[in-house]
Amino acid sequence: VWGTTWARARMPGLSNALPSFFWKFFHNLLPTQARLHRITRTTNEPCCVQCDTGDDDHAWFHSFTVCPASKPISDWLSAKLTTLPIYFESIDKALWLQFPGTNEATELLPAVWLVGEALTYAWSRRKNRQAMDIPVLTSTLTTKATHMSKSEKHSQCGKKWCQVLSGKIVPP
C-alpha cells in the first residue's frame, strides 16, 4: 500500500509542493495541535482549535475528515471525485490516494491532483484559522486547472478539471 501511495504522491503533473505536503501528511508531520502538544512545551492541549468537539487534532483523521471546520472540504472532495472514472471506497482511502483497480496515469492524475490541492487548501485555511470557503477553493482550483490545461503533457487533466469545476460535467 505504501509503495502505491507514495508513487501516486510523486506523479508527474503535480505541482512541486504536493509531494512535500503528501510526505508530511502521510508521516503525520503536519503541525497539528496534537503534534505540537507532543513536541513543544508551549502547546498546552492536543485539542482542535478549529472546532468545539474537544477531539484531538490529528491530521490523518480529525483535521481533514471529521472536524466540522473541514468537513465541507471533504464532502466537496467526495462529490467531485464521483465525476471521475475511478472508484474510491471512502474519503479516508482517497486521502491516502488509494483508488483500487485504477492504474492508468490518465485516470489517476486528476484524482491525485484534486486530493492534493484540496488538502493543501484546507491545511492553509486551518493553519491561518480561516473558515473553509468552497467558492474560493473552486476559483483557486479553476485557475490552477486552466494553467495545467496549457501544459503540453497534462492538458487533458487540466481541461477535464476546468469542465468539472465550471459545472459543465456533472456526476452520473
Side-chain angles (χ1 to χ4, degrees):
V1 173
W2 173 246
T4 302
T5 296
W6 187 235
R8 290 175 179 174
R10 296 176 298 137
M11 291 182 75
L14 299 177
S15 71
N16 292 336
L18 283 182
S20 176
F21 177 84
F22 278 134
W23 177 263
K24 291 174 188 171
F25 174 74
F26 297 146
H27 287 88
N28 200 21
L29 296 174
L30 292 173
T32 61
Q33 287 299 113
R35 182 160 193 272
L36 292 173
H37 175 70
R38 193 173 64 247
I39 64 174
T40 71
R41 294 179 185 205
T42 57
T43 305
N44 296 329
E45 294 190 19
C47 300
C48 178
V49 296
Q50 300 290 324
C51 68
D52 57 6
T53 62
D55 293 342
D56 286 359
D57 187 19
H58 288 289
W60 295 338
F61 184 67
H62 181 81
S63 299
F64 295 106
T65 57
V66 299
C67 179
S70 299
K71 187 88 171 100
I73 300 297
S74 61
D75 291 346
W76 178 88
L77 180 58
S78 290
K80 292 301 177 190
L81 286 171
T82 64
T83 65
L84 299 175
I86 58 162
Y87 172 73
F88 73 101
E89 295 173 10
S90 66
I91 191 63
D92 296 329
K93 288 194 176 192
L95 296 182
W96 283 85
L97 310 180
Q98 294 301 304
F99 302 105
T102 308
N103 291 316
E104 293 293 321
T106 56
E107 293 175 2
L108 282 171
L109 181 58
V112 172
W113 179 83
L114 183 67
V115 169
E117 293 294 343
L119 283 177
T120 56
Y121 170 82
W123 180 251
S124 71
R125 300 297 280 202
R126 285 183 71 82
K127 76 177 186 180
N128 293 320
R129 296 191 176 157
Q130 297 172 311
M132 302 297 159
D133 189 336
I134 300 297
V136 170
L137 171 62
T138 303
S139 174
T140 301
L141 293 182
T142 300
T143 301
K144 290 180 178 192
T146 301
H147 180 71
M148 183 187 278
S149 71
K150 295 175 183 172
S151 79
E152 201 171 302
K153 283 184 157 182
H154 308 292
S155 64
Q156 182 181 4
C157 178
K159 288 176 184 173
K160 169 83 171 175
W161 278 115
C162 285
Q163 292 174 330
V164 170
L165 294 167
S166 69
K168 292 178 181 170
I169 295 179
V170 294

